[in-house]
Amino acid sequence: MVNLIPAPLHCENLSGTFSLDDSLKVKSDFDLPLLKLQREESGKLIIKKDTSLSPESYTLDIAQDSIKICANDEAGAYYALQSLRQISRYELGQRTVACCKIKDKPRFKWRGLQLDEARHFFGKEKVKELLDFMFFMKLNVFHWHLTDDQGWRIEIKKYPLLTEIGSTRSSTHINGWGSTEIQHGIHSGFYTQEDIKEIIEYAEKRNITIVPEIDFPAHCAAAIAAYPWLACREIKRGVAYYFGSSIPEKILKIKDWNRTICAGKSKSVEFVFDVIDEVCDLFPSKYFHIGGDEAPKDEWKKCPHCQKVIKDNNLKNEEGLQGYFNNLILEHLKKKGKRLIGWNEILKAHNIDKSVVAQYWTPQKDKNAQKHANSGYDIIMSNHKSFYFDIPYAQYPLKNTYNFKTESYGISSLNAPNILGVEGENWTEWTNCTEKLQMKLHPRMEALAEVAWSDNSLINWKDFKHRLESFKDYYDYFNINYAVDKISQSKNIFHRTRAKKLFFKGDTDYEFKLNKEYRKQGLR
């Protein structure tokens, strides 16, 4: 096996090497604008279109006198080049590559990574860096969490206060879910529609689809701060600076705050449709994520508008009201050629349209999600114990990501085709800078890439660790603050117990600081 992540479907090592130099020329059937090589009919790097291959798949033949790539589409050609880039180690100073033959194709069509910029805003240059590394790892879906209680990060021209007010909070909750500590100081930032277009174009060139997440009906406190009439009761509040649905009342003693918009007011529904229209005009993706999770319904129980909708439509209860509300959005999206994605809690409403794509995140098994997939409907696996990258390695070590098994979550092998794919989640409540994001993301991102791309028969923890050790040279080259083995694969009970305890209340940066010390010691 070559030192390549994700592992290729088939690799045959051959004798000899091909010499690489800056004068290498390419002959290609594809345009490939990202390929910065001179084109020439006599080029030794030959890229051929082969319609017999499936989308995104490729073959890569490295002989002593030439390199030949075959692919059905540009994506497959680019992925072959990413494999060549990695095994040649040209960027790392190597000038020869061992001869071999590789046949490769993806396991899942949805190979996703999410970034939450509502809690902490990183900006477009950092997003582009992330997209570049996703491309390197053959990940092809960027799930962009752009709105939440703590910030609205996308310009909506019809509702300018969403960014004028909703993108800025006065303070930030720190030191864990059980903490009462607040760091005072403005946190702000949003993307203009021109910024969004620029990033979408950047992603498309790298075969990455961007799926926007605009949360409805809950996680809307920032929107309600901008337009209080969105809620059942119009209570003036600033953008939320605290994290978690139970924190304001139970920990910080803040009462009367709204995070769920009114599902009964026609004006609120009109707002949702208006926002969706502008977002859909920007994003060509056929998917639209509405979140739909963690929706408190106490306000709906007391709201005459919500109760009227429940009565008029013969709904069982407030859960049925959310199903009704979600179905309105789903139908609106259908007219635009889009499919609705929601976190698996939306399946609690048994009147929900089954064409919804459920994103299965919960740590515990969810019978509704299992039934959805086993009944022939689409699902994305983002299960907490394997794919929540914001959680300390002490709680979810790297092996959790690598050893993910779809069958562990009650989805039969017969219904495995209903799994669109897998996705890693980067929630940023406690991740306020790039260095911290990188440490939580790497090497989990590489493990995710292998689970998403490589055939299940190739999943081998010992072999992956060997290839990862070689891959760490790329972390150093790109100046990435990765988690060293003593963090990502720790068996130290004291460290693991302390890190988990502090993450809840006390010091969410414990592993980050410890990792820094290990890096100073030269550990990998």
Side-chain angles (χ1 to χ4, degrees), residues 10-70:
H10 174 79
C11 179
E12 179 186 354
N13 293 315
L14 304 172
S15 61
T17 60
F18 180 89
S19 296
L20 291 162
D21 57 52
D22 293 338
S23 63
L24 181 66
K25 296 177 177 61
V26 62
K27 178 183 178 182
S28 176
D29 291 345
F30 299 101
D31 186 28
L32 305 177
L34 297 178
L35 183 57
K36 306 298 183 185
L37 288 177
Q38 185 178 333
R39 295 170 186 275
E40 197 173 278
E41 281 299 306
S42 60
K44 290 187 177 181
L45 174 57
I46 303 159
I47 305 172
K48 302 288 289 180
K49 183 175 178 65
D50 185 345
T51 56
S52 70
L53 295 173
S54 57
E56 298 188 298
S57 65
Y58 67 89
T59 64
L60 171 62
D61 292 350
I62 303 173
Q64 294 183 45
D65 59 351
S66 66
I67 298 174
K68 184 178 179 182
I69 289 168
C70 290

Side-chain angles (χ1 to χ4, degrees), residues 118 144-148 151-154 191 196 212-214 283:
W144 207 0
H145 187 78
L146 288 165
T147 70
D148 215 298
W152 186 284
R153 307 294 179 204
I154 178 171
Y191 293 102
I196 296 284
E213 182 180 351
I214 311 295
F283 289 86

Side-chain angles (χ1 to χ4, degrees), residues 70-90:
C70 290
N72 183 24
D73 51 18
E74 283 193 7
Y78 271 135
Y79 290 149
L81 289 165
Q82 294 306 306
S83 293
L84 176 61
R85 174 187 175 193
Q86 194 181 140
I87 61 178
S88 71
R89 299 170 74 83
Y90 188 84

Side-chain angles (χ1 to χ4, degrees), residues 306-449:
C306 291
Q307 292 304 309
K308 185 177 188 303
V309 171
I310 290 173
K311 183 179 178 181
D312 289 351
N313 292 277
N314 297 314
L315 304 175
K316 287 184 179 179
N317 50 28
E318 287 72 29
E319 204 67 64
L321 177 58
Q322 184 170 353
Y324 172 84
F325 175 84
N326 287 342
N327 287 342
L328 289 177
I329 297 175
L330 185 144
E331 289 301 320
H332 190 74
L333 286 169
K334 271 186 183 178
K335 294 171 187 174
K336 296 181 169 296
K338 309 279 187 181
R339 292 191 67 188
L340 184 147
I341 305 175
W343 300 106
N344 56 286
E345 287 101 321
I346 66 171
L347 299 175
K348 289 179 184 176
H350 295 296
N351 58 334
I352 187 75
D353 188 306
K354 296 301 189 290
S355 68
V356 67
V357 178
Q359 190 154 6
Y360 190 177
W361 76 272
T362 47
Q364 66 281 4
K365 290 182 181 178
D366 181 349
K367 290 182 179 178
N368 291 322
Q370 292 172 18
K371 183 179 178 182
H372 189 74
N374 290 328
S375 299
Y377 303 113
D378 289 340
I379 200 160
I380 299 163
M381 306 298 280
S382 294
N383 304 88
H384 201 279
K385 293 178 183 178
S386 293
F387 298 125
Y388 264 51
F389 296 169
D390 57 308
I391 303 297
Y393 288 96
Q395 185 170 342
Y396 295 154
L398 179 63
K399 202 170 185 178
N400 274 36
T401 302
Y402 192 78
N403 285 343
F404 170 78
K405 298 284 188 296
T406 57
E407 55 268 29
S408 300
Y409 291 89
I411 298 171
S412 69
S413 57
L414 183 66
N415 290 294
N418 301 325
I419 300 171
L420 295 183
V422 295
E423 181 180 292
E425 311 303 319
N426 291 290
W427 302 108
T428 61
E429 287 93 340
W430 319 115
T431 305
N432 61 359
C433 69
T434 304
E435 265 194 305
K436 292 176 190 174
L437 178 65
Q438 288 178 343
M439 196 207 88
K440 292 183 175 188
L441 186 55
H442 301 284
R444 283 167 166 157
M445 183 176 178
E446 289 64 52
L448 164 71

